[in-house]
Amino acid sequence: MTMKLLQTTALLGLSGLLALPVNAAFLEDSQTRLELRNFYFNRDFRQSGAAQSKADEWAQGIRLDWQSGYTPGRFGVGLDAIGLLGIKLDSSPDRTGTGLLKADRSEGRAMDEYAQLGLTAKLRLDEHVLRLGTLLPQLPLAMHNDSRLLPQTFRGGWLQAKGSDALSFDLGRFDAINLRDSSDHQRMRPVQGGARNVSVRGKPDSNAFDFAGASYRFNPDTRASYHYGELDGIYRQHYLTLNHSRTLGTGRLSADLRYADASNAGRSNIDNRMTSLALAWQTGMQRFGASYQQMNGRTGFAYLNGTDPFLVHLVQINDFANRDERSWQLRHDYSFANLGLPGLSLMNRYTHGDNIKLASGRGSEWERNTDLAYTVQNGPLKNLSVRWRNATYRSSFASDLDENRLIVGYTFAW
């Protein structure tokens, strides 16, 4: 039975259920959340002779999430729904390409609006839950992207099972992807281009990404996970993580160790090993971080196009995941709560990468980020947030960029 047939069968079953008198738990345990996101994006291309001087757009996003409860009993049935709407406020054909708005390919301009409705059937047995339909995973092998106006989504099936309070499992398949600036489902393909050296022979995409994984919590301070994924006929990947934290003196030290191994599964040249270690020290209202990330193999890091790679050096513009790249980062976070300004935070970081394998030799790149955010804590405007994100990116082989993002958000929940 195909994934699409399974989804259709589950949703038809739910339709029949909802046609009957709905039990109290199904509705009384439901949750609704409305998120408004006003987004201004400006990217300035700094190199001489750039094909486009800047990407500059302004848009309004609306996201409505509804999650039902479950029917009573050991076996429960539920339904989730997500509605997405993007509205153009300002754009022009010479300023498109921000990722905020869906483009009209025939006219080369952003569409006035675009929308998507996603439904997810939920089947629960004890503490195990199977979801079929629209999915927003946060897995090391498939992290949905939510860095623009509307989130990117998957279509498929995802089983989350529990072996014990400390042990959990993931198993599933995705058969299509919906990009952050699209309202249509598409086949999946790996990220290519730049200095990654990734190529795919013949058919460039696939409609099957299978995954499985397990996470184990040894104690409240230590957790490990292993995940395996395969984009059918293109690449397969193993991903290991280990997280540990402990109190030292007046602060808390945390460590994040990651290792990934990706290889060809038929039609690609993918061959990559990624290793990274991040350390962070939290004391009072300040957090200091340092990290190192290294790529080995004939290609850069492998991940699905349109998603976020699970990398410690995924920053505002870049991910520092090119072929042979070695990168390091220094970061500082500060909360102004002790100064009488709860809800106000500031982040600064600098990431530098080098040893990048190019056809002409070795390349380097760096990125500096500043993130200033404020969320209203109480009163009639509680949960109103304002965020300014600034980035400078410089490279010896790619486009130099200066970027600013201004995001105003407001969330209602009931």
Side-chain angles (χ1 to χ4, degrees):
M1 187 179 292
T2 66
M3 181 64 66
K4 197 166 185 178
L5 182 57
L6 280 171
Q7 295 166 11
T8 302
T9 302
L11 292 174
L12 286 174
L14 279 172
S15 299
L17 172 71
L18 296 177
L20 301 173
V22 180
N23 67 81
F26 187 91
L27 293 178
E28 290 180 2
D29 293 341
S30 68
Q31 299 178 351
T32 306
R33 182 175 177 269
L34 175 65
E35 178 184 351
L36 305 178
R37 183 180 294 182
N38 190 277
F39 206 126
Y40 171 71
F41 184 107
N42 176 280
R43 176 176 287 180
D44 189 1
F45 299 95
R46 305 298 297 175
Q47 80 278 14
S48 60
Q52 185 175 337
S53 63
K54 64 178 178 178
D56 185 280
E57 293 180 311
W58 181 31
Q60 175 66 51
I62 301 173
R63 172 179 173 174
L64 179 64
D65 289 278
W66 182 76
Q67 297 179 341
S68 78
Y70 288 94
T71 56
R74 185 182 177 190
F75 177 78
V77 179
L79 177 68
D80 292 346
I82 180 172
L84 303 171
L85 174 64
I87 302 170
K88 179 177 72 177
L89 299 179
D90 180 60
S91 178
S92 69
D94 62 330
R95 294 186 282 113
T96 59
T98 65
L100 294 182
L101 297 165
K102 183 176 181 178
D104 186 327
R105 296 180 181 177
S106 63
E107 299 184 7
R109 65 175 65 244
M111 297 179 65
D112 291 338
E113 60 185 38
Y114 65 107
Q116 176 189 355
L117 174 63
L119 297 175
T120 309
K122 301 185 296 186
L123 308 176
R124 186 193 67 188
L125 176 63
D126 297 328
E127 295 183 314
H128 316 308
V129 178
L130 173 63
R131 291 180 170 84
L132 298 166
T134 298
L135 304 168
L136 288 85
Q138 289 186 301
L139 297 166
L141 304 171
M143 298 276 293
H144 85 273
N145 183 299
D146 194 18
S147 63
R148 295 295 195 274
L149 192 69
L150 300 175
Q152 169 263 319
T153 64
F154 287 86
R155 187 183 67 194
W158 180 12
L159 173 65
Q160 293 174 288
K162 297 195 69 174
S164 66
D165 290 340
L167 180 63
S168 61
F169 299 95
D170 295 288
L171 179 67
R173 165 177 281 198
F174 304 134
D175 67 2
I177 193 172
N178 195 323
L179 302 179
R180 64 193 182 191
D181 55 354
S182 173
S183 58
D184 306 309
H185 284 103
Q186 304 172 26
R187 291 166 64 92
M188 295 165 286
R189 62 180 64 199
V191 170
Q192 299 180 61
R196 299 182 189 278
N197 192 43
V198 172
S199 62
V200 181
R201 301 179 302 277
K203 188 170 61 175
D205 50 28
S206 173
N207 65 351
F209 183 83
D210 298 299
F211 62 92
S215 298
Y216 187 76
R217 188 178 66 253
F218 296 92
N219 55 57
D221 298 328
T222 307
R223 180 174 179 173
S225 71
Y226 164 76
H227 287 83
Y228 171 82
E230 181 171 336
L231 182 59
D232 186 42
I234 298 181
Y235 76 87
R236 58 179 63 93
Q237 187 174 53
H238 304 265
Y239 208 119
L240 289 161
T241 68
L242 176 63
N243 303 98
H244 178 71
S245 63
R246 62 181 305 173
T247 300
L248 288 175
T250 59
R252 190 164 186 83
L253 179 67
S254 61
D256 180 341
L257 178 64
R258 305 180 190 181
Y259 176 77
D261 187 316
S263 59
N264 170 35
R267 303 193 304 275
S268 77
N269 68 333
I270 289 174
D271 171 60
N272 173 265
R273 268 80 56 204
M274 183 283 301
T275 306
S276 69
L277 174 63
L279 299 173
W281 171 256
Q282 176 80 45
T283 177
M285 296 294 102
Q286 300 193 77
R287 188 173 186 268
F288 302 90
S291 54
Y292 179 79
Q293 176 177 287
Q294 181 167 322
M295 302 290 157
N296 291 298
R298 293 190 297 272
T299 69
F301 187 75
Y303 64 100
L304 297 174
N305 184 53
T307 68
D308 280 340
F310 189 58
L311 297 171
V312 295
H313 289 173
L314 172 64
V315 290
Q316 184 168 325
I317 297 174
N318 197 24
D319 57 19
F320 295 86
N322 293 298
R323 182 182 180 185
D324 285 350
E325 185 162 14
R326 302 175 305 202
S327 56
W328 54 268
Q329 181 186 110
L330 295 176
R331 172 171 173 161
H332 177 248
D333 294 77
Y334 186 75
S335 169
F336 290 82
N338 281 356
L339 299 181
L341 293 170
L344 180 64
S345 63
L346 174 67
M347 183 278 294
N348 285 288
R349 68 186 166 207
Y350 176 82
T351 314
H352 184 275
D354 60 17
N355 196 52
I356 302 164
K357 176 65 173 176
L358 307 171
S360 58
R362 299 285 173 173
S364 63
E365 58 187 354
W366 61 264
E367 181 172 337
R368 178 200 53 76
N369 305 118
T370 295
D371 195 321
L372 181 64
Y374 178 67
T375 301
V376 179
Q377 302 295 293
N378 47 54
L381 295 179
K382 183 179 180 180
N383 296 326
L384 176 70
S385 65
V386 181
R387 180 183 296 271
W388 170 58
R389 307 192 70 187
N390 172 265
T392 300
Y393 172 77
R394 295 293 183 266
S395 170
S396 66
F397 61 94
S399 300
D400 292 340
L401 305 171
D402 290 342
E403 185 178 283
N404 286 281
R405 306 179 189 183
L406 182 62
I407 309 161
V408 180
Y410 199 23
T411 302
F412 309 83
W414 63 94

